[in-house]
Amino acid sequence: MEAVWDIQKIQDTLPQKYPFLFVDRVIAINEEEKSITCLKEVSINDYFFQGHFPGNPVMPGVIIIEALAQASILLYAALRPVEAGKKPDYFLGKVDAKFFSPVRVGDQLMLEVKAEKLLSKGGIVTAEAKVDGETVTSARIVFGVKPRE
Amino acid sequence: MSDFDTIKKEVRALVSDITEVPEEELTDEATFTDDLGIDSMMALEIVASIEKKFKVVIPEEKIPTITSLGNVFLLLEELLGK
């Protein structure tokens, strides 16, 4: 899969850094549909597998939500580059989510996010995480964007 | 009941649903932030829901004017040309 944004650009854009960075590549950005597709390679080296769970590595649902939220920030940065260029703080307002099946080591987690509404001070997106084309998590995320003082 | 009264009723129900403020407390004059404890994230949801339900686009510069249900009605009246 060709990356439209590589890890360098992702690191430059997201305030989250290793080991709390859960997007490896941006696969596609569709400005007309206001959507983004990102990839997270789920690896045994991901720090949370040390404890979740020993001998039975399952990606925590909250981390899947965090990965979708990070993909949402990348979508926001792609569609609102002026605001995002000022390196604001992003914060979660509300998350409605459903989890369908576990995500395990070796899975390619596709993060698909579509904007419902984006404003200078926040946004609402619908997001899906998929493995092999199957939806493992779906969520609607409301987030805020606040300039740094 | 006029068309716009029906719309008002629908908006009140929608705002109540998002904010979990009972409809009877949602008077036209009560201010969202001070009287009702509605935060900016809820306001964003209210805007998105109204846009979806009534197929209108609320311009970003109008959003700060939405400080009470009465103001929502005024804005919607303007956008729907009622």
Side-chain angles (χ1 to χ4, degrees):
Chain A
M1 268 169 283
E2 193 85 5
V4 292
W5 285 14
D6 62 10
I7 189 67
Q8 192 58 51
K9 179 138 187 195
I10 292 167
Q11 284 174 342
D12 290 346
T13 308
L14 286 179
Q16 292 87 346
K17 306 294 176 207
Y18 176 84
F20 211 74
L21 178 69
F22 303 118
V23 177
D24 295 327
R25 258 181 283 171
V26 176
I27 306 293
I29 295 169
N30 188 326
E31 287 191 24
E32 209 169 302
E33 285 183 5
K34 298 184 177 174
S35 66
I36 195 168
T37 304
C38 303
L39 171 69
K40 156 74 184 149
E41 303 269 10
V42 182
S43 157
I44 192 65
N45 295 322
D46 280 313
Y47 81 92
F48 45 80
F49 286 133
Q50 289 174 39
H52 196 281
F53 301 96
N56 179 27
V58 177
M59 185 168 181
V62 287
I63 301 285
I64 300 173
I65 296 299
E66 176 61 27
L68 290 169
Q70 292 182 9
S72 307
I73 295 176
L74 294 170
L75 176 64
Y76 187 87
L79 297 178
R80 311 224 26 157
V82 176
E83 283 97 341
K86 293 175 190 158
K87 302 278 175 200
D89 288 325
Y90 299 91
F91 58 93
L92 283 173
K94 182 178 168 186
V95 179
D96 287 316
K98 278 186 182 168
F99 300 90
F100 302 102
S101 40
V103 175
R104 297 182 183 279
V105 170
D107 284 343
Q108 287 197 317
L109 193 65
M110 301 299 288
L111 309 162
E112 300 180 0
V113 181
K114 196 171 186 305
E116 197 175 300
K117 179 88 183 164
L118 293 184
L119 297 170
S120 62
K121 288 182 182 159
I124 302 178
V125 297
T126 49
E128 283 192 71
K130 294 181 179 176
V131 175
D132 294 330
E134 295 273 320
T135 302
V136 293
T137 302
S138 67
R140 184 168 180 268
I141 300 172
V142 182
F143 64 95
V145 180
K146 197 177 173 195
R148 291 232 174 137
E149 279 150 28
Chain B
M1 200 188 278
S2 75
D3 282 0
F4 201 68
D5 283 339
T6 311
I7 289 172
K8 279 182 170 178
K9 204 164 169 260
E10 287 173 344
V11 171
R12 196 181 305 274
L14 177 154
V15 172
S16 168
D17 196 37
I18 292 170
T19 59
E20 296 175 11
V21 174
E23 284 190 40
E24 54 273 21
E25 287 177 31
L26 284 172
T27 60
D28 288 12
E29 299 78 25
T31 57
F32 282 169
T33 45
D34 295 339
D35 296 336
L36 303 170
I38 295 174
D39 63 25
S40 62
M41 294 291 96
M42 290 183 200
L44 177 56
E45 276 195 275
I46 292 168
V47 167
S49 299
I50 287 174
E51 287 188 340
K52 204 168 168 185
K53 190 165 183 73
F54 299 104
K55 303 197 169 37
V56 292
V57 177
I58 298 176
E60 184 154 1
E61 65 272 16
K62 294 278 185 189
I63 292 174
T65 69
I66 303 175
T67 52
S68 66
L69 205 54
N71 286 337
V72 175
F73 296 153
L74 282 177
L75 181 61
L76 209 47
E77 218 166 359
E78 190 184 311
L79 292 171
L80 294 168
K82 296 272 176 189

